[in-house]
Amino acid sequence: MTSQRTRNRLVQRLREAGISNEQVLSVMASTPRHVFIDEALAHRAYEDTALPIGYGQTISQPYTVARMTEELLGNQRRLGRVLEVGTGCGYQSAVLSPLVEQLFSVERIEPLFSRARNRLYDLKYRNVHCSLSDGSWGLPDKGPFDGILVAAAPEQVPYALLEQLVDGGRMVIPLGGEQQKLTLISRDGDEFVTRILEDALFVPFLSGVQR
């Protein structure tokens, strides 16, 4: 159930769902999603569905990971410095890693942070730098960022994240409460252009660090 053929079937489903960036599809085909989830759920790793990872969190649906990555890249083949808010199990980080120069990922739940950091290190994703932190702060000492990807839904965009986006940078973020919208925010000088992409279903964006 974890063979390359199984991954290729997932990629075909993503293609049929509208994912068209061949770089993103190639990374999705080569990233071993089954090692980012509990062994008992490994047989479901290449279903196009979200799965629980503990602490009330989930590994995102593969379509959502691919869609957010595609929108973050825009017409670029590779981004420089990127911030990910919500490391979770590290799967989205692994998908982003080959497509960026440096990835800074923050997670607020300590056990998830430790597990993801160790897993990504063992899998030799050397350009991924994990931090335990409140995601609403961003990482001002590491920015500004060419791209910011947020994997939890706030009601409004944290201002600190907008500040840490470079001119011309892109942010992909789900916004809302019970009704969420996946949203693309592009910076043009002091202006932020917002475009709603589609409906979304993410865990709530919470502040503070949980140990």
Side-chain angles (χ1 to χ4, degrees), residues 7 12 27 32 34 49 64 70 79 82 85 103-105 107 114 133 151 162 164 169-170 177 182 199 201 203 205:
R7 293 183 212 174
Q12 182 58 34
V27 172
H34 62 281
T49 187
T64 302
E70 189 173 65
L79 297 177
V82 169
V85 179
L103 175 63
F104 300 88
S105 186
E107 172 56 53
S114 299
S133 179
L162 292 173
Q164 291 168 39
R170 297 161 70 93
L182 188 63
D199 292 341
L201 182 60
V203 296
F205 190 109

Side-chain angles (χ1 to χ4, degrees), residues 21 68-77 79 170 184:
N21 186 309
M68 293 180 80
T69 304
E70 189 173 65
E71 290 295 338
L72 192 72
L73 283 172
N75 59 6
Q76 303 292 313
R77 290 188 59 80
L79 297 177
R170 297 161 70 93
L184 172 66

Side-chain angles (χ1 to χ4, degrees), residues 61-137:
Q61 178 188 2
Y63 168 79
T64 302
V65 172
R67 178 81 162 120
M68 293 180 80
T69 304
E70 189 173 65
E71 290 295 338
L72 192 72
L73 283 172
N75 59 6
Q76 303 292 313
R77 290 188 59 80
R78 188 175 173 86
L79 297 177
R81 299 170 77 84
V82 169
L83 172 67
E84 177 191 26
V85 179
T87 315
C89 63
Y91 177 64
Q92 174 75 75
S93 311
V95 170
L96 285 171
S97 173
L99 303 171
V100 308
E101 291 178 13
Q102 298 293 325
L103 175 63
F104 300 88
S105 186
V106 299
E107 172 56 53
R108 60 176 293 275
I109 301 175
E110 187 171 30
L112 291 181
F113 154 74
S114 299
R115 197 182 304 164
R117 179 188 57 181
N118 294 340
R119 181 182 288 130
L120 290 164
Y121 183 82
D122 290 344
L123 293 170
K124 304 188 186 318
Y125 289 102
R126 294 292 188 257
N127 65 338
V128 181
H129 312 282
C130 297
S131 300
L132 178 65
S133 179
D134 183 328
S136 62
W137 303 338

Side-chain angles (χ1 to χ4, degrees), residues 14 43 47 103 164 191:
L14 295 178
H43 66 288
E47 296 176 9
L103 175 63
Q164 291 168 39
E191 302 292 324

